[in-house]
Amino acid sequence: MTQPPRRLYLLDGMAIVYRAHFAFIRNPRLTSRGTNTSAIFGYVNTLLEILKNEQPTHLAVAFDTSEPTRRHVELPSYKAQRQEMPDELSAAMPYVFKVTKAMRIPVLRYPGYEADDVIGTLAKRASAEGLETWMVTPDKDFCQLVCEHVKLYKPTRDGVVKWGVAEVCEEWGVERVEQIVDILGLMGDASDNIPGIPGIGQKTAQKLIADYDSVENLIAHAAELKGKQKERVEEHALQAILSKQLAKIDIDVPVTESWDEMVLEEPNLPALRELFNELEFTALGKRFLGDEFVATGAAPAGATAQHPPMDLFEAAAAEADGFRRLADVEHDYRLVDTPEKLDDLVAQLLKQKQFCFDVETTSKDAHDCMLVGVAFSWQKGKGFYVPVPDEKGACSSLLRKLSPALSDPKIIKIGHNLKYDATVLRWNGIEVQGAFYDTMLAHYLIEPELSHSMDALARQYLRYDPVPISELIGPKGRDQTTMRCVSIKQVCDYACEDADITLQLWAVLEPMLAERNALELFKTVEAPLVPVLVEMEQTGICLDVQALLDYGKQLDDELTTLATRIHKLAGHEFNIDSPRQLGDVLFDELKLDPKAKRTSKTKQYTTTEQILMRLKGRHAIIQDILEYRTLRKLKGTYLDTLPHAVKESTGCIHTTYNQSVAATGRLASANPNLQNIPIRSEAGREIRKAFVPSGEGFKLLSADYSQIELRIIAQISGDEGLREAFAAGIDVHQATAARVYHVELDAVTPEMRSKAKMVNYGVSYGMSAWGLAQRLNISNSEAGEIITEYYRQFPGVQAYIDDTIKSARERGYVETLLGRRRYLPNINDSNATMRSAEERNAINAPIQGTAADMIKLAMVRIHRQLKEKPYRTRMLLQVHDELVFDLWLEERVEVARMILTEMTTALPMEVPIVVDMGVGDNWLTAH
């Protein structure tokens, strides 16, 4: 029997509750005791309508929290004009939660994120997995999330409106759903206090976006506007960009709930009977409990008719979830505010084999924040907080006293996201030493694709709800003034709780690491890498800002030249960045595609990159337009932003590495991302030229693993053909082509080699014949023949793929050579698309994950060698399979030999490991 299609419904809880409350505002529903149940009735009725009419398989409700979001930080007046929740509604919230709990529907609440963001994250995640998703909300902002698998279910006075992509684009008058945030950025949103641009309403915003595609492009062409509109756009440009950011729904909330937790369950009927009886919901009760149900209105024993208003619904959520909070547990948190207390604390710390510590700061940016204090804990329920004075000299003096404990290499340091804490202290002159046991990284190895936040882990493993930062700092956000104004006792409790809870989490997670066969990986790879990244981030890499600015001017000239050429080919000038004008030129004037599609409402042509790629070869203008778009994007992404990322005090860029993002184990770089700077294009190479050594006597050294993933395939598959090619040191792509096409090595043509190279790399990603055909621009049959012959010539690779998928189906996960696991929850899914995607993950994860493990091991060993000598050379960057160093030239021979040795032997394999090395005056010449 086939399984029914999966249908996920995500409800915007507060929007539905508010709508229900005000729908009955003139004629509220009251119980015989005078309790206003309008909001509860409307909320439950919406749930029942969905259950009855839509037959969901998965269901969850998201609610806001009282903690400030990133929007409050970016715009302090965000939602500031909104009135407090009405007392009647506040009193109703506990019942909303109780009913939801009785119906066994999960409640999703994440401090620092709005319900919109939680729903947006899940919707995009579900869409990627092909799960049909409906967002239930009256809020128009959700339209920006609609896509093929994600649709809007909008309750209205006249019933329910259901919108997909076509309906949303029609309603908003846009070519693409993504442009909705541009319209919102221009028109603003009075209900949320988002300013937009004064004088621009929805119709004007729609017209401007139709002409200029985006807010940013409109601002770039503001000179083309006229009169007041031109003045307003120019004057409020930054405000429009900010408004767009505020209106954009986040899709990266660290949601921990799995799809399994959202599977629809049978309700708790006794609990519902009690609630519906108290609320006097006879009609609703009959729908759920049968025609014999009659509500008497009798409250359960111990209940009262009056319910005090609450701070939103924190108390209701705590009651529904059953979490403990600080007031519910015994604790002894002490403030260390005298020299005598500090001396005693340091003495106690030095006696410990391990302790947990946590820094309090004024910002989430470890490279640009003020240190407020440090908390310590080494025993459950106990903690010590050391406030740090503002004055620099006093701060340094205090930290020097703490340094013996923090810098003692014999004492194990426990923390959550220890790299952040150690980096902050490093900028303040303290080098934290000792084994780093990070609970965030521990959970990353246990559940790589779930949230690793401390709050989420505390709830999941300790059934404990930590004090949210909003209870200390309110809606203004974490800054120096706010943090310094908070009661020292409050900060003490907050900081000590973090250290105490993290200590308790480590006690839970350590045995789980052992159970998952990940403890060795944690202690030999992930944990030792933390201090390596701390030093790399603080060292940074120098940037020749002037070189970038000069190249930016050159790109401007190239863009002007391209624009002139495009205008000449078109026969007249037009705005190339305007999809409307570009579409008219391509399809009305040049008639490149008589079947070109128009949007239903604006009637303008679609000119996406996908459309343009299909038109290549029909007219010379297409290639120029594609190049124009590429250069404009490159300039905006790198040339216009990297100079602003340079830290004034160091002259360097200090990227932030994240170990817990990619499920494969790869490191991620952010603020700025230095791992995606292109190398193949001329423009990308010019950008790499701007990365330079630290000073005279230094050069940049690049050490890059050669074809590492192919060598790992050869190792784990055991295929003799691949191993022979690598052992002989011949070009593996040439050797592959010779086998597949049955020719001698010297008879392999460049075209043959190119196709073989695509197959070699495509294998590790489970590439199909269709995928190969698309990439090589050949027929599906030819691609199929190439892949069939490849597997015939390299049977070990085919066996690896078959065995890996079979094992994954049985165990639910795959592993790297060092035991890093990638869990595959959809490997046995009945949906062929989802199952195929998971099979590709199964094939690729052991390969890419082993490559990640190998370079991490090499980084740990090289860092140790650089420190022990000590050398003046420093490791600066990790970019996929490449390491970049600031090389002191007097150490060139010795250090290069050491780096080569550590990289090639980091993970011993039978297949030879090759590292390409180069030295130069900049990153490009070194690579």
Side-chain angles (χ1 to χ4, degrees), residues 35 39 73 80 124 158 168-169 190 192 222 236 260 298 412 453 520-521 545 552 640 643 670 739 825 851 869 913 927:
T35 302
V73 176
K124 289 301 180 183
D158 301 320
V168 166
C169 290
D192 288 343
H236 300 284
D260 288 344
I412 296 169
S453 74
E520 186 67 17
L521 178 66
V545 173
D640 294 342
R739 282 176 170 264
K869 180 76 177 180
I913 302 301
H927 184 77

Side-chain angles (χ1 to χ4, degrees), residues 339-358:
E340 293 76 20
K341 290 180 182 179
L342 182 60
D343 291 341
D344 182 60
L345 171 63
V346 173
Q348 292 187 67
L349 288 171
L350 288 170
K351 294 177 183 178
Q352 309 305 317
K353 292 183 179 179
Q354 62 181 34
F355 61 75
C356 180
F357 78 96
D358 175 72

Side-chain angles (χ1 to χ4, degrees), residues 373-392:
V374 189
F376 298 90
S377 179
W378 58 87
Q379 186 177 346
K380 179 181 177 180
K382 293 189 176 181
F384 298 84
Y385 177 67
V386 184
V388 173
D390 284 332
E391 197 274 315
K392 188 173 181 180

